[in-house]
Amino acid sequence: MKYKPNETRESEKGDFTVNRRRLLQAGGALIALPFISSKIANATSKALVSPSVARREERIVQTCSTFDCGGKCDVRVHLSQGTVTRISTRPDSALDEQMPVMRACVRGRAYRQFVYHPNRLKYPMLRVGKRGEGKFKRISWDEATTLIAEQMKRIGDTYGPAARFAHVATGVSGGSFSGDKMLKRLLNLTGGYLGYYHSVSMGNTAAATPYTYGVAASGSSLDTLSETKLVILWGHNPTETIFGHTNYFYKKMKENGTRFIVVDPRYSDTATSYADQWIPLLPTTDNAMMDAMMYVIVTENLHDKAFIERHTLGFDEQNMPEGVPANESLVAYLTGVKDGVVKTPEWAEKITKVPAQTIRQLARDYATTKPAALIQGWGPQRHICGERTARASTLLATITGNVGVKGGWAGGYGGIASRKFMTGIVQPQNPVKATISIMNWMQAVEDASKVRPEDGLKNADKLDTNIKMIFSLAGNYLANQNPDINKTIKLLEDESKVEFIVASDLFLTPSAKYADLLLPETSFMERWNIGETWGTGSYFMLSEKVIEPDFERRSDYEWLREVAAKMGVEAAFSEGRDEKQWVEYIVEQTRVTRPEENLPTFEQLQVQRQHLFKSAPHVAFEKNITDPQNNPFTTPSGKIEIFSKRLYDMQNPEIPALSHYVPATEGPEDKLIEKYPLQLITWKGKHRANSTQYANPWLQEVEPQTLWINPQDAKNRQIVQGDEVQIYNDRGVSRVPVEITSRIMPGVVAMRSGAWWNPDKDGVDRGGCANVLTSTRMTALAKGNSHQTLLVEVKKA
């Protein structure tokens, strides 16, 4: 390594006189373990608050977390003598039906066990031994911030600013003010950094939707669905994902008689809650089923002819863009004129395993029920074919006339163009113009010359340098959430590649083990912020600092400010504001930019705690449909483009202009199925947001990590309930208990996402982390992730 910090001084080790600290310090001996038993944690949490303390006067503070969680639930923190004694949530009487703030879910109710977990990091620490062993020694904050400043300058001067990289950090991305935002501010002030684009959550669909509508945002506000008679939830699982306030509206719709159909390989909790019908299909075959649905709709004369004629391009041969040869229209494709294959339900049944009659019934129901909403989740677009699947939902919505009408849904990306945000931090301009897809970062470490415009590089013809320095602040994507962990760690272990890695987190996560410098971050209860929703939510909530951090924990902003001072840019970096003052600044700046909203002052916000962006119901593309003359779509033709000339000109078979079915690599038609005959998918469980809260003992009890397998597939492998099984392919092996259930269709197995990677001495993962099995393969159009597309085999361990 290219740095030699001072050895730890005995005087810094100290003794702790506070009883609670002494108790937590004892838990620190377990720092190398991914979690502790629930019995230990429960005993610890009970010991934190004596009966006499609990009887003292209590203060209740309404707040919210700032994790990457769509709910921004109303969390009520009960405080006594500076200690959190319990968590409650908003009463039903506080519900606002126009913009309902969610009650705390199981994650919210368990935050106290998370914040007071004895395994939380306590001191800044420097790596000793090999990178990845998870061995560290304590150093001072002065040593830590000096080292960061020195390495930022050395690496920037030696290789150029593009050698510095800030990794994905979803542990704080639900807040307006966060360490990763301020890190980028500091990097910009000291020469710049290599930026990335893409959301791992929904980057593929956001890239695909504009080829139909001209813009990505295609969602309506959920209050427009009150009179919808049929909702098809296609790979959408809001009950477990806690997707904003979606469930409030779905529950009301269900009570009012809306029929729900769930299309998903797994009988999810959403299907349990809402589904009048569950239709399982093989992963990556969504387009085949959608093609067959469109065939039924068109050949049975169920399509909306007037809507298609007025608003679309590419439906039939009479309505195609110039310069395109014959037989490229949607009708020509569906009827087999183009390729000789008629896209009947019987054709699709062989691919999807959905009975032909079920496909016919679904197509007829969707086309004849007015209005109807086909709402696609973000899971299907995390496949190698995700862009095609996302765009195909827009075609179905178009030919049935469900675009731009109340109670319909335009498909594609469900974001709302009218959704309102806080102003946020104004960033200085980044001198480095080049940006990469987040899926390119490993290539940029290994050999930057491999990252070309055709591979995902933007705003440059080439990269000037490899990534040499990585910051991972509240992010577990560096290793744990990154696809193909075994490939990733080999790259990180090579110290000739990345020369310095800084991780700031609450726990020694699998990613944090690869840090050279490990910093103890504060939880959301120990800092100031503004919580913002995603999905279809539109409100913000004050996330107040309610307790003081223990030991030497510091917020990222605090130590970044110290680094800025050592690099000579503190005045420009902080502008003289502490953390609370920055949050106040964001509130006041938003008041200036949104005078029509009558936003509260920061002083008022500390009393009312939240602000709801109330607005009229929003129907996506309503003006484009009601008045197309004055509101054309922002596509080249000004219409909804069923056939995209822009995609056609790319001449890439993976990106068809009609967004039809193409057999997927590592899909059910891949020859690899002979070796690995099962498709593995993951889902986001209700007990964690990505991998955040994995270490929470209460939530480990809520949903233990298991592999779901159909009874038929289990019987074929002589596996019985409770067996421990190995899931494996050429990339890795994971070992977990099995759950035999008919809630997963034959040929498919499933695990909850976000489990922490826990390899044994043989490299076999014992944590149930699916990312030892996933691929770094990128999608063709967006250069996005395809985590969900993979083949495996399962055997009894």
Side-chain angles (χ1 to χ4, degrees):
M1 296 194 298
K2 296 177 171 59
Y3 50 91
K4 294 181 180 179
N6 297 329
E7 294 297 320
T8 306
R9 295 185 293 271
E10 288 296 320
S11 61
E12 293 174 348
K13 295 180 179 177
D15 188 21
F16 299 95
T17 57
V18 181
N19 289 338
R20 182 156 64 89
R21 287 194 178 186
R22 225 177 237 167
L23 181 64
L24 296 180
Q25 188 183 35
L30 302 172
I31 195 168
L33 299 178
F35 58 88
I36 63 172
S37 75
S38 58
K39 291 182 179 179
I40 295 174
N42 288 337
T44 300
S45 63
K46 290 176 182 176
L48 295 179
V49 183
S50 67
S52 60
V53 171
R55 286 193 296 268
R56 292 172 187 165
E57 186 175 348
E58 189 177 58
R59 183 168 74 96
I60 303 175
V61 180
Q62 179 190 359
T63 186
C64 70
S65 83
T66 51
F67 300 134
D68 181 33
C69 175
K72 293 300 163 286
C73 302
D74 185 325
V75 174
R76 306 287 169 103
V77 177
H78 295 242
L79 294 163
S80 180
Q81 300 294 305
T83 298
V84 179
T85 58
R86 70 186 182 97
I87 301 288
S88 64
T89 188
R90 70 156 174 80
D92 289 337
S93 59
L95 175 69
D96 186 298
E97 294 195 4
Q98 185 175 348
M99 184 52 65
V101 175
M102 286 180 59
R103 289 171 57 85
C105 65
V106 66
R107 298 197 292 258
R109 298 299 186 104
Y111 281 148
R112 181 171 168 273
Q113 278 61 36
F114 186 69
V115 171
Y116 286 139
H117 198 301
N119 272 21
R120 275 189 60 185
L121 299 175
K122 300 172 178 63
Y123 314 103
M125 293 185 289
L126 184 69
R127 171 172 66 88
V128 294
K130 296 180 180 180
R131 188 183 282 167
E133 285 185 309
K135 296 179 179 179
F136 298 88
K137 68 176 181 179
R138 179 180 167 187
I139 62 173
S140 70
W141 270 111
D142 180 60
E143 288 174 315
T145 54
T146 298
L147 184 57
I148 295 169
E150 290 174 348
Q151 292 300 314
M152 285 179 67
K153 186 175 188 310
R154 180 188 68 81
I155 289 173
D157 290 348
T158 304
Y159 303 103
R164 308 187 302 184
F165 185 68
H167 221 304
V168 175
T170 62
V172 290
S173 59
S176 302
F177 181 76
S178 60
D180 66 318
K181 293 182 179 72
M182 296 308 288
L183 167 64
K184 291 170 183 176
R185 180 180 178 88
L186 178 58
L187 289 167
N188 287 336
L189 290 170
T190 57
Y193 66 99
L194 179 63
Y196 68 85
Y197 62 91
H198 254 322
S199 162
V200 179
S201 293
M202 49 70 189
N204 292 325
T205 187
T209 308
Y211 287 93
T212 302
Y213 299 125
V215 295
S218 60
S220 301
S221 58
L222 292 177
D223 52 6
T224 65
L225 299 180
S226 59
E227 298 174 12
T228 301
K229 298 177 182 177
L230 172 66
V231 171
I232 301 171
L233 300 178
W234 200 298
H236 189 26
N237 184 24
T239 299
E240 291 177 271
T241 307
I242 319 296
F243 205 95
H245 57 290
T246 303
N247 289 296
Y248 171 80
F249 287 100
Y250 285 1
K251 183 175 181 291
K252 285 184 66 176
M253 292 160 61
K254 185 71 177 174
E255 292 170 349
N256 291 336
T258 298
R259 183 178 177 221
F260 282 84
I261 298 175
V262 172
V263 180
D264 198 311
R266 189 178 68 91
Y267 190 69
S268 65
D269 283 7
T270 295
T272 303
S273 302
Y274 302 115
D276 295 281
Q277 182 180 10
W278 170 47
I279 302 177
L281 84 169
L282 289 178
T284 74
T285 69
D286 307 69
N287 278 95
M289 182 161 156
M290 291 175 168
D291 289 347
M293 288 175 64
M294 286 190 277
Y295 172 84
V296 172
I297 291 168
V298 172
T299 59
E300 295 188 4
N301 207 28
L302 302 177
H303 53 295
D304 191 326
K305 301 179 190 64
F307 185 94
I308 292 169
E309 184 176 349
R310 187 181 190 195
H311 299 293
T312 74
L313 180 73
F315 176 73
D316 56 27
E317 295 299 306
Q318 287 69 49
N319 191 21
M320 291 291 289
E322 293 184 5
V324 178
N327 302 324
E328 292 288 345
S329 67
L330 178 63
V331 172
Y333 167 74
L334 296 175
T335 56
V337 174
K338 178 181 177 181
D339 57 9
V341 179
V342 184
K343 309 310 180 298
T344 64
E346 285 75 18
W347 164 81
E349 178 179 354
K350 295 175 184 177
I351 299 168
T352 65
K353 305 308 177 189
V354 179
Q357 190 53 40
T358 300
I359 298 175
R360 281 195 176 85
Q361 165 250 309
L362 181 62
R364 291 166 180 165
D365 286 354
Y366 181 54
T368 59
T369 306
K370 303 292 185 180
L374 192 161
I375 304 175
Q376 191 176 93
W378 293 350
Q381 63 88 55
R382 294 187 188 121
H383 284 281
I384 194 67
C385 54
E387 300 144 344
R388 298 192 297 274
T389 303
R391 192 161 175 265
S393 70
T394 69
L395 305 192
L396 271 167
T398 295
I399 68 170
T400 55
N402 277 303
V403 177
V405 297
K406 184 180 179 182
W409 197 264
Y413 172 51
I416 300 176
S418 62
R419 184 184 156 207
K420 298 168 184 176
F421 297 87
M422 303 296 287
T423 301
I425 303 298
V426 178
Q427 291 285 9
Q429 190 173 30
N430 184 358
V432 178
K433 302 307 177 187
T435 58
I436 61 173
S437 164
I438 189 57
M439 294 298 294
N440 290 135
W441 79 270
M442 290 175 63
Q443 292 174 311
V445 169
E446 181 72 37
D447 184 354
S449 68
K450 294 180 180 178
V451 186
R452 303 163 298 173
E454 56 265 37
D455 303 310
L457 178 64
K458 291 185 177 182
N459 305 321
D461 295 325
K462 62 183 181 66
L463 289 179
D464 297 325
T465 178
N466 294 355
I467 292 174
K468 292 292 182 180
M469 183 178 194
I470 295 178
F471 287 91
S472 178
L473 310 188
N476 202 7
Y477 198 87
L478 180 67
N480 198 82
Q481 299 302 97
N482 198 60
D484 199 345
I485 288 178
N486 290 317
K487 181 179 179 181
T488 305
I489 62 169
K490 288 179 182 177
L491 195 63
L492 296 175
E493 287 170 351
D494 186 347
E495 296 179 36
S496 70
K497 301 294 184 183
V498 183
E499 295 180 4
F500 194 64
I501 299 174
V502 179
S504 173
D505 215 313
L506 275 68
F507 294 89
L508 186 65
T509 67
S511 292
K513 286 183 179 180
Y514 288 85
D516 298 307
L517 184 63
L518 184 60
L519 306 176
E521 167 67 307
T522 51
S523 73
F524 74 91
M525 291 188 190
E526 299 158 337
R527 57 177 179 247
W528 288 88
N529 211 331
I530 298 288
E532 293 188 279
T533 59
W534 45 255
T536 56
S538 190
Y539 60 86
F540 65 85
M541 189 181 298
L542 182 64
S543 183
E544 181 179 334
K545 180 180 180 179
V546 295
I547 56 175
E548 290 296 325
D550 283 323
F551 302 99
E552 294 184 16
R553 295 167 185 144
R554 298 175 68 181
S555 72
D556 289 329
Y557 176 63
E558 289 181 80
W559 62 260
L560 281 166
R561 192 173 182 181
E562 194 170 305
V563 173
K566 292 177 178 179
M567 298 188 77
V569 295
E570 196 281 332
F573 174 73
S574 72
E575 297 184 9
R577 300 186 186 96
D578 62 19
E579 188 174 77
K580 182 178 179 181
Q581 289 168 332
W582 268 110
V583 173
E584 180 178 5
Y585 170 80
I586 291 171
V587 172
E588 297 304 327
Q589 284 298 110
T590 307
R591 281 169 48 80
V592 171
T593 58
R594 295 191 180 280
E596 75 284 358
E597 285 291 336
N598 193 29
L599 297 176
T601 65
F602 183 63
E603 184 176 353
Q604 291 169 335
L605 183 61
Q606 291 177 75
V607 176
Q608 72 181 59
R609 314 303 297 179
Q610 65 189 30
H611 177 79
L612 312 181
F613 288 118
K614 294 186 179 181
S615 56
H618 169 75
V619 176
F621 308 120
E622 185 175 33
K623 290 183 179 179
N624 306 88
I625 299 303
T626 57
D627 186 9
Q629 197 72 23
N630 295 311
N631 300 280
F633 285 88
T634 55
T635 57
S637 65
K639 294 186 174 185
I640 300 172
E641 296 195 349
I642 294 172
F643 179 98
S644 171
K645 179 67 160 52
R646 289 176 291 171
L647 295 181
Y648 178 81
D649 289 341
M650 294 180 188
Q651 289 296 300
N652 186 333
E654 291 291 313
I655 317 171
L658 285 170
S659 209
H660 57 68
Y661 175 67
V662 177
T665 302
E666 284 204 55
E669 295 191 71
D670 193 322
K671 289 184 179 179
L672 190 62
I673 203 92
E674 297 173 7
K675 183 178 181 181
Y676 299 117
L678 298 171
Q679 292 180 269
L680 172 65
I681 60 171
T682 62
W683 80 94
K684 293 183 181 293
K686 62 175 69 73
H687 59 328
R688 52 182 176 252
N690 296 322
S691 73
T692 302
Q693 290 221 67
Y694 175 81
N696 192 318
W698 275 16
L699 298 183
Q700 287 178 356
E701 290 184 14
V702 167
E703 288 187 329
Q705 190 72 357
T706 58
L707 177 81
W708 281 23
I709 189 170
N710 184 271
Q712 178 181 315
D713 293 322
K715 182 179 180 181
N716 292 342
R717 290 161 178 79
Q718 297 182 320
I719 295 169
V720 299
Q721 179 67 23
D723 277 350
E724 192 168 56
V725 296
Q726 287 197 165
I727 314 104
Y728 61 96
N729 59 19
D730 290 340
R731 290 181 288 270
V733 183
S734 185
R735 187 168 172 170
V736 291
V738 72
E739 178 74 23
I740 300 175
T741 174
S742 296
R743 291 179 64 181
I744 190 75
M745 69 180 295
V748 184
V749 291
M751 287 197 293
R752 295 173 184 86
S753 64
W756 283 8
W757 174 57
N758 184 24
D760 62 19
K761 61 181 178 61
D762 299 316
V764 175
D765 167 53
R766 297 300 187 104
C769 181
N771 289 39
V772 300
L773 304 159
T774 54
S775 165
T776 57
R777 195 179 295 116
M778 294 189 297
T779 59
L781 177 63
K783 310 303 178 188
N785 59 303
S786 61
H787 286 53
Q788 292 281 11
T789 304
L790 67 156
L791 294 173
V792 300
E793 178 57 292
V794 175
K795 68 179 181 180
K796 186 174 180 179

